[in-house]
Amino acid sequence: MTKDQNQQYSADSIQALEGMEHVRKRPSMYIGDVGLRGLHHLVYEVVDNSIDEAMAGHCDQISVIINENDSISVEDNGRGIPVGMHKKEGVSALEVVMTKIGAGGKFDKDSYKVSGGLHGVGVSVVNALSDHLTAVVHRDGKVWQQEYEKGKTLYPVKEVGKTDKTGTIVTFKPDLSIFKDVEKYSYETLANRMRELSYLNKGIKISLTDKRKKVEGDFLNEEFYSEEGLKEFIKFLDENREPLIPEVIAIEGEKNNIPVEVAMIYNSSFNENIHSYVNNINTHEGGTHLSGFRRGLTATLKKYAESSGLLDKVKVEISGDDFREGLTAIISVKVAEPQFEGQTKTKLGNKEVTSAVSQAVSEMLENYLEEHPAEAKIIVDKVVLAAQARHAARKAREMVQRKTVMGGGGLPGKLSDCSEQDPALCEIYLVEGDSAGGTAKQGRDRNFQAILPLRGKILNVEKAMQHKVFENQEIINIYTALGVTVGTEEDSKALNLEKLRYHKIVIMCDADVDGSHISTLILTFFFRYMRELVENGHVYIATPPLYLVKRGSKKVYAWNDEDRDKLVNDFGTGASVQRYKGLGEMNAIQLWDTTMNPESRTFRQVSIENAGEADRVFSMLMGEDVPPRREFIEKNATYANIDA
Ligand code: 0RA
């Protein structure tokens, strides 16, 4: 190494070190948060690298293992990360990838990197946030290895054996001082993501193994593999719905150098269920690819319906929403330099993508409609029905609208409002039944807590047409109390969040089967009609205690059977247990102490970890009575825990 190169190397390595330290100081900037979500994100980040290798055509197997010690291993059968000297950096390419923040695979110009986690930050960030990381590379007949601690290289790459395979194995143990809940890796969460990745990248086998758990002698393990990709993804998502046409409509191709994949089907439900992805990332907030899809869909169906005479006797005007009722679709694009915008940085901004997707969708649909006239008629009939129902719903919508925005006169009579004016400080409790509502009203802090009692079971929106939803009194009450508008005719789910009157919306129901059913009905409504509220973290579930354990004047609450038993044991003879069957059995002070007092309560914030999975659960629990639904409900008779 010349003196110049030497200086260059040390300068760069100092820079690398600073990068690492920055990641450790501000982890959330790189991975979103340091809770469970961030923890799982570390796994996705490493898996993404292997997915990239697969998409470049060099790898078809990835295995992810949760080890007994809560470390994670990700193994692939790709070419193996190069271990030769990186000319510019003066260390091995492996070391550059592992220690240089933002290096990614950029040194390999031929394989343009399309994958990448939510922030596309690269495996070096995982390294920085790990107590220990080992990289093992099988390449050129040799096994190479390098280890790191908190992102610092422990030794130069060394040869540790011979091999006839190629591939990369990364094993990392997240830093416990940064991730407090390392032991809480969720198999389900990882499984949902691996399943999603296998649908988005057909032909790759992705296996997941949990060595912390044994099922009948074997470790918990699943293999995800999809031969048909998005087509199968659609079938999976719509398993609990009745299809209107026999086959999924799908295309796969490139438009203006942008790889576009789309798959869609119509079902008998009234919901629009569209999921969009950019480089395997779920773009919850949509963006240019979604606009392109909508544009292509609307234009093509409209043109076909008009020119085929199917609309001749139809009196109502057809709007954008109508084309998407009962539609389940997935749009997946690969964009070399994606611009992510929006509140959660999950909205695609690249302008050129709109026309690429719109053209691809138009071509696909035109062909399909020409070749399948019977199915085309079914689709157009469905659209016309949606338009007619929307006209019926318009009156209902206008009624609600008048009450929410224009009239000003109309907070629901049942609402006991709070006195605080700043929505950020206000909470509203949606309470099951008038009697629990009464207790909550007495127990609350009226400064910032409002109570809206709901009568019995609210409408199951999963099975109802839109105008029924907007005619439902309890739902009207929710809209008017919250102060948000009922969307527009073009987009019935667009909310007006600036008008939101409470930043915490708390579902408070009995801790029994009926109560959990009612919570689920309310959640279904929020998920289908006010998803933005959920996505922005405004929706919570209150958790009233299940038991009161008493001995003499000593009284302690318990939220589960384990705590109850422990208390009974601690209290000794003379202890008695009261089971709370409903909120109504508690007095106002008890309800405040256990469930409403910010100092002592535990809320569960509702979040959508995986939109496809959430959709499946809601359609399963609340949708049509198709066989898999019955089976699911029978198997999960006490399914009360929708943390979807
Ligand atoms: C760049 C170049 C080459 C391999 C990789 C990246 C690579 C990276 C990762 C990360 C996880 N698994 C991976 N597998 C491969 C190889 C270039 C060549 O062999 O010519």
Side-chain angles (χ1 to χ4, degrees), residues 228-239:
E228 294 188 299
L230 297 193
K231 263 194 179 179
E232 283 175 306
F233 200 174
I234 292 278
K235 288 181 195 159
F236 175 76
L237 288 173
D238 261 16
E239 191 187 9

Side-chain angles (χ1 to χ4, degrees), residues 124-168:
S124 53
V125 166
V126 178
N127 195 11
L129 300 175
S130 293
D131 255 343
H132 191 269
L133 186 146
T134 308
V136 175
V137 171
H138 290 245
R139 202 180 152 92
D140 307 325
K142 290 177 180 153
V143 185
W144 307 90
Q145 180 175 302
Q146 187 166 44
E147 290 174 80
Y148 321 82
E149 255 171 30
K150 298 182 169 49
K152 291 201 178 98
T153 307
L154 292 184
Y155 51 81
V157 177
K158 66 179 180 194
E159 188 192 326
V160 294
K162 304 265 179 270
T163 181
D164 52 9
K165 300 186 301 184
T166 65
T168 306

